[in-house]
Amino acid sequence: EAQVTQNPRYLITVTGKKLTVTCSQNMNHEYMSWYRQDPGLGLRQIYYSMNVEVTDKGDVPEGYKVSRKEKRNFPLILESPSPNQTSLYFCASMSVTDTQYFGPGTRLTVL
Amino acid sequence: AQSVTQLDSQVPVFEEAPVELRCNYSSSVSVYLFWYVQYPNQGLQLLLKYLSGSTLVKGINGFEAEFNKSQTSFHLRKPSVHISDTAEYFCAVSPQGGYQKVTFGTGTKLQVIP
């Protein structure tokens, strides 16, 4: 089954404690992306990757890092989380000729 | 730069009535256009997309959208809604030739009233 998985699904942490949200896809897609969803703001793109070792900033990259060492994985790293990063995060993957598949989401709370 | 405007944050409609969810976009280049649906506590699912060709695009669950280049719009329509259509709908745009930067609208919550 084609899918994008994210872990963890829920996370409560404290300010400044580094965390990583993992994202993995099993469709051999070149393109992967991270979004955050906030009420009234829709989804905003954080980072995207066109292929292994190729990443670029989206609209709201501040406070986030990503890496793409393998085609299937695209982790999102928060080096020093702050309360304004409390949000619902979605990972997505796509190939040029395919549709964009979204993961189930990770609800992050930073205290 | 590109942007998407969904003017209606909430749209209530009676069951079996028609509905139109509005989407306008702005871009300095040609674009691809998308509509996604998000059911409560779930991720996003693609409803339909416009890449090129016919301006009337049919999607899943009986939805369709029409690309209007002169009005820079991509409104979503359904002739008869069902309770199960209650969800949030997002319009999105990306530049043609690349899906790199995808910009979403702020969403429209469709509430179907029995």
Side-chain angles (χ1 to χ4, degrees):
Chain A
E1 180 191 355
Q3 62 180 354
V4 178
T5 57
Q6 294 179 228
N7 283 292
R9 295 288 314 278
Y10 302 90
L11 179 60
I12 301 174
T13 189
V14 295
T15 300
K17 185 176 182 182
K18 181 180 179 180
L19 66 92
T20 299
V21 184
T22 64
C23 173
S24 182
Q25 50 98 359
N26 63 359
M27 295 164 280
N28 201 37
H29 285 163
E30 299 86 9
Y31 174 90
M32 298 185 75
S33 184
W34 275 104
Y35 300 89
R36 60 177 290 173
Q37 183 178 15
D38 302 288
L41 296 178
L43 277 82
R44 293 178 291 168
Q45 192 174 41
I46 303 170
Y47 270 95
Y48 61 89
S49 169
M50 295 301 291
N51 216 322
V52 175
E53 303 292 3
V54 181
T55 63
D56 206 349
K57 296 176 181 178
D59 293 319
V60 288
E62 295 78 18
Y64 305 94
K65 284 176 57 177
V66 293
S67 68
R68 188 92 181 271
K69 293 184 171 55
E70 304 168 282
K71 199 171 186 179
R72 62 182 291 122
N73 295 323
F74 190 44
L76 179 70
I77 303 157
L78 285 72
E79 295 269 4
S80 182
S82 63
N84 65 12
Q85 292 179 297
T86 292
S87 187
L88 179 58
Y89 292 87
F90 287 101
C91 179
S93 78
M94 182 171 62
S95 69
V96 175
T97 58
D98 203 347
T99 188
Q100 185 163 210
Y101 291 85
F102 282 80
T106 295
R107 189 168 293 280
L108 172 65
T109 301
V110 183
L111 301 175
Chain B
Q2 58 194 23
S3 66
V4 177
T5 301
Q6 293 181 249
L7 286 171
D8 305 307
S9 59
Q10 295 190 52
V11 173
V13 61
F14 286 105
E15 193 173 16
E16 297 185 5
V19 69
E20 178 180 84
L21 305 184
R22 297 181 293 168
C23 172
N24 288 88
Y25 70 93
S26 172
S27 176
S28 55
V29 300
S30 296
V31 296
Y32 297 143
L33 292 156
F34 309 86
W35 274 100
Y36 289 87
V37 60
Q38 185 179 34
Y39 298 104
N41 299 314
Q42 293 188 27
L44 278 76
Q45 179 183 7
L46 182 70
L47 271 180
L48 48 80
K49 60 185 176 185
Y50 171 79
L51 303 182
S52 65
S54 172
T55 57
L56 183 63
V57 181
K58 293 192 183 296
I60 62 171
N61 302 340
F63 283 93
E64 64 180 32
E66 186 155 19
F67 170 55
N68 188 317
K69 189 174 182 179
S70 62
Q71 296 188 3
T72 60
S73 68
F74 190 55
H75 301 332
L76 181 71
R77 301 185 182 100
K78 187 170 182 177
S80 176
V81 296
H82 189 265
I83 290 289
S84 60
D85 293 322
T86 295
E88 190 159 19
Y89 294 79
F90 292 94
C91 182
V93 63
S94 71
Q96 275 194 14
Y99 294 88
Q100 295 95 321
K101 294 205 73 166
V102 182
T103 301
F104 281 80
T106 52
T108 297
K109 290 183 179 175
L110 174 64
Q111 183 185 5
V112 180
I113 305 163

